[in-house]
Amino acid sequence: MNIVLLGSGGREHAMACKIAESDRCTTLFVAPGNAGTAGVDKCRNVDINPTDFDALRSFVLKENVGMVVVGPEAPLVAGVADFFASDSALRHITVIGPGKAGARLEGSKDYAKGFMARHGVPTAAHRTFTLGTLDEGLAFLRSLKPPYVLKADGLAAGKGVLILDDLAEAEAQLREMLAGGKFGEASEKVVVEEFLRGIELSVFVLTDGRHYKILPTAKDYKRIGEGDTGLNTGGMGSVSPVHFADKAFMRKVEERIVSPTVKGLHQEGIPYKGFIFIGLMAVADEETGELNPYVIEYNVRMGDPETESVFPRIKSDMVDVFEHVGRDTLHQVTLDVDSRSAVCVMLTAQGYPEHYEKGKVITGVEDVQDCTVFHAGTRRGDDGSLLTAGGRVLCVTAMADTVPAALLKSYQELEKIKWEGCYFRRDIGQDLLKMMIS
Ligand code: AMP
Ligand code: GLY
């Protein structure tokens, strides 16, 4: 079968490797892909923008494509799955990714909060405000204890969440967000919520709309600076599995969160074939110390860079699994997972996540041993040299029996990769190691 994968980051490179590995895959077209996906066996990059549905339509018909796997959220929020479902020439093609209705779980934080409330999914207490209810919003803020959590309702490129210690600052930011000055339309509604104290992790679910499989857990590192300081980024590294997400914790996650979420989608008549990425806070019970999961957010896609540590651990044939998603028979498959740990460390351009330069020559990737180098933002120059083409550039994934061993391998090998201004965090996974020791 010919398959199309939409996207161009490290997540898509990791997915491309897994998909292309399957005997069920003839050619994998990555639209638009990057220099990494271009080098994967059976893969071809195609110059199609993932939100240009008409171009996609012509291409899949010409190439007799049987499956489309969607990497990022933009085409989902724009309705790529609905576009395929409503076209008689495309309807037979399996699309891995929800339609617009399901994508609202990520596209609107207010909608996601309402969904969680309807289905009893534990999350931080909240209220949503608009410019018309600004005074109530300010009064609600004053009733909360710091820190204050303000969230733009819509997509704001991962920057729409503010966590503020100072009440006056929180009031000023709420005013500015609702007036549209801060995130434009995305903050016409603002969710104000209780701050949850705990440790974060990501849980990934694949569903056919009725049945589901829980993928390996992961933790990502969002801030640019060591010790989780500085600006938010797309993610600077990830570790899978997360040791404290043990059987007892994951049972709670499944019973309280995953099962009601999938049932809720079904009950509300929302077809959903694809990934659900559940951002969780594990909060310790004040009396017993037992960890309980609360949802921070839903995303309707895999995480990046979580995919770069989660997908290498999946041993099952992913195309076979996706075909079961297409046929609503996901309960018939067993997901085989490698018991080893995987870690990835992201190498970024100097200046990221603010202004950075592109086009720097990268050397040393071929010298890396016993790790997988996933490309996040790269391209080939006219002379074939590898060039930086984004803020997040390369991601070095290592697998080993333990997290410390995997970290050692990744950090040892990534030193071989060089370009002017290459930056990475040296403390990926250190918080987990400290927890394991204490
Ligand atoms: P989000 O964009 O929803 O993932 O939020 C960005 C980050 O803000 C999360 O990864 C958390 O670290 C933090 N955050 C969001 N909501 C809360 C909350 N209610 N309590 C504590 N931290 C939060
Ligand atoms: N790593 C977080 C995300 O993909 O949103």
Short mmCIF file of all heavy atoms in Angstrom, two decimals, residues 11 106 202 220 222 233-235 277 297 299 301-306 392, ligand 2:
data_model
loop_
_atom_site.label_atom_id
_atom_site.label_comp_id
_atom_site.label_asym_id
_atom_site.label_seq_id
_atom_site.Cartn_x
_atom_site.Cartn_y
_atom_site.Cartn_z
N ARG A 11 9.06 14.47 14.83
CA ARG A 11 7.96 13.49 15.03
C ARG A 11 7.70 12.72 13.75
O ARG A 11 7.57 11.49 13.77
CB ARG A 11 6.70 14.27 15.45
CG ARG A 11 5.41 13.46 15.36
CD ARG A 11 4.20 14.32 15.71
NE ARG A 11 4.21 15.57 15.00
CZ ARG A 11 3.73 16.72 15.47
NH1 ARG A 11 3.17 16.77 16.66
NH2 ARG A 11 3.80 17.82 14.76
N GLU A 106 -8.17 19.85 21.09
CA GLU A 106 -6.93 20.61 21.14
C GLU A 106 -7.15 22.07 20.74
O GLU A 106 -6.52 22.97 21.29
CB GLU A 106 -5.88 19.98 20.19
CG GLU A 106 -4.61 20.82 20.08
CD GLU A 106 -3.41 20.05 19.53
OE1 GLU A 106 -3.51 18.85 19.26
OE2 GLU A 106 -2.35 20.69 19.39
N SER A 202 3.34 12.64 29.81
CA SER A 202 2.45 12.54 28.66
C SER A 202 2.04 11.10 28.44
O SER A 202 2.87 10.20 28.48
CB SER A 202 3.16 13.03 27.39
OG SER A 202 3.71 14.31 27.59
N ASP A 220 8.42 15.12 28.57
CA ASP A 220 9.21 16.03 27.73
C ASP A 220 9.71 17.20 28.56
O ASP A 220 9.29 17.40 29.70
CB ASP A 220 8.47 16.44 26.44
CG ASP A 220 7.61 17.66 26.62
OD1 ASP A 220 7.21 17.94 27.77
OD2 ASP A 220 7.32 18.33 25.62
N LYS A 222 10.14 21.14 28.33
CA LYS A 222 9.64 22.20 27.46
C LYS A 222 10.47 23.48 27.46
O LYS A 222 10.47 24.22 26.48
CB LYS A 222 8.21 22.57 27.88
CG LYS A 222 7.19 21.51 27.54
CD LYS A 222 5.80 22.09 27.39
CE LYS A 222 4.80 21.07 26.90
NZ LYS A 222 4.13 20.31 27.96
N THR A 233 9.61 26.06 24.75
CA THR A 233 9.98 25.66 23.39
C THR A 233 9.00 24.59 22.94
O THR A 233 8.10 24.21 23.69
CB THR A 233 11.39 25.02 23.38
OG1 THR A 233 11.30 23.75 24.04
CG2 THR A 233 12.41 25.90 24.09
N GLY A 234 9.21 24.05 21.75
CA GLY A 234 8.40 22.90 21.33
C GLY A 234 8.74 21.66 22.13
O GLY A 234 7.96 20.71 22.20
N GLY A 235 9.90 21.65 22.77
CA GLY A 235 10.36 20.48 23.55
C GLY A 235 11.83 20.23 23.27
O GLY A 235 12.24 20.21 22.12
N PHE A 277 -3.24 12.72 22.73
CA PHE A 277 -2.06 12.97 23.56
C PHE A 277 -2.59 13.66 24.80
O PHE A 277 -3.17 14.73 24.73
CB PHE A 277 -1.13 13.85 22.72
CG PHE A 277 -0.06 14.65 23.40
CD1 PHE A 277 0.86 15.32 22.61
CD2 PHE A 277 0.08 14.78 24.77
CE1 PHE A 277 1.87 16.09 23.16
CE2 PHE A 277 1.09 15.54 25.34
CZ PHE A 277 1.98 16.20 24.52
N GLU A 297 -4.03 19.06 29.53
CA GLU A 297 -4.52 19.38 28.19
C GLU A 297 -4.63 18.11 27.35
O GLU A 297 -3.97 17.11 27.62
CB GLU A 297 -3.58 20.36 27.48
CG GLU A 297 -2.21 19.77 27.25
CD GLU A 297 -1.36 20.54 26.24
OE1 GLU A 297 -1.87 21.47 25.61
OE2 GLU A 297 -0.18 20.18 26.11
N ASN A 299 -4.14 16.91 23.32
CA ASN A 299 -3.76 17.24 21.95
C ASN A 299 -4.26 16.10 21.09
O ASN A 299 -4.43 14.96 21.57
CB ASN A 299 -2.24 17.36 21.81
CG ASN A 299 -1.70 18.54 22.60
OD1 ASN A 299 -2.06 19.68 22.36
ND2 ASN A 299 -0.84 18.27 23.57
N ARG A 301 -2.87 14.67 18.43
CA ARG A 301 -1.74 14.19 17.60
C ARG A 301 -0.71 13.64 18.55
O ARG A 301 -0.87 13.75 19.77
CB ARG A 301 -1.17 15.40 16.87
CG ARG A 301 -0.87 16.49 17.91
CD ARG A 301 -0.21 17.71 17.43
NE ARG A 301 -0.14 18.70 18.50
CZ ARG A 301 0.77 18.73 19.47
NH1 ARG A 301 1.70 17.81 19.52
NH2 ARG A 301 0.74 19.66 20.40
N MET A 302 0.36 13.08 18.02
CA MET A 302 1.47 12.66 18.87
C MET A 302 2.28 13.90 19.28
O MET A 302 2.20 14.94 18.64
CB MET A 302 2.38 11.68 18.12
CG MET A 302 1.84 10.27 18.00
SD MET A 302 1.60 9.46 19.62
CE MET A 302 3.27 9.37 20.27
N GLY A 303 3.05 13.77 20.34
CA GLY A 303 3.89 14.89 20.79
C GLY A 303 5.22 14.88 20.05
O GLY A 303 5.65 13.87 19.53
N ASP A 304 5.85 16.03 20.05
CA ASP A 304 7.16 16.16 19.45
C ASP A 304 8.00 16.95 20.44
O ASP A 304 7.68 18.11 20.69
CB ASP A 304 7.03 16.92 18.11
CG ASP A 304 8.32 16.92 17.31
OD1 ASP A 304 9.34 16.48 17.85
OD2 ASP A 304 8.28 17.38 16.16
N PRO A 305 8.96 16.39 21.12
CA PRO A 305 9.77 15.23 20.78
C PRO A 305 9.41 13.91 21.49
O PRO A 305 10.23 13.01 21.50
CB PRO A 305 11.16 15.66 21.21
CG PRO A 305 10.92 16.44 22.47
CD PRO A 305 9.59 17.12 22.26
N GLU A 306 8.20 13.78 22.04
CA GLU A 306 7.88 12.51 22.69
C GLU A 306 7.90 11.34 21.70
O GLU A 306 8.30 10.23 22.04
CB GLU A 306 6.50 12.58 23.36
CG GLU A 306 6.44 13.48 24.59
CD GLU A 306 5.99 14.88 24.27
OE1 GLU A 306 6.28 15.34 23.14
OE2 GLU A 306 5.36 15.50 25.13
N ARG A 392 14.44 23.87 16.05
CA ARG A 392 14.82 22.54 16.50
C ARG A 392 15.38 21.84 15.28
O ARG A 392 14.73 21.77 14.23
CB ARG A 392 13.61 21.81 17.07
CG ARG A 392 13.12 22.48 18.35
CD ARG A 392 12.17 21.62 19.13
NE ARG A 392 10.91 21.39 18.44
CZ ARG A 392 9.95 20.56 18.88
NH1 ARG A 392 10.14 19.91 20.02
NH2 ARG A 392 8.83 20.41 18.22
N1 GLY B 2 6.06 18.19 23.20
C1 GLY B 2 4.81 18.82 23.33
C2 GLY B 2 3.99 18.86 22.13
O1 GLY B 2 4.21 18.18 21.16
O2 GLY B 2 3.02 19.60 22.16
#
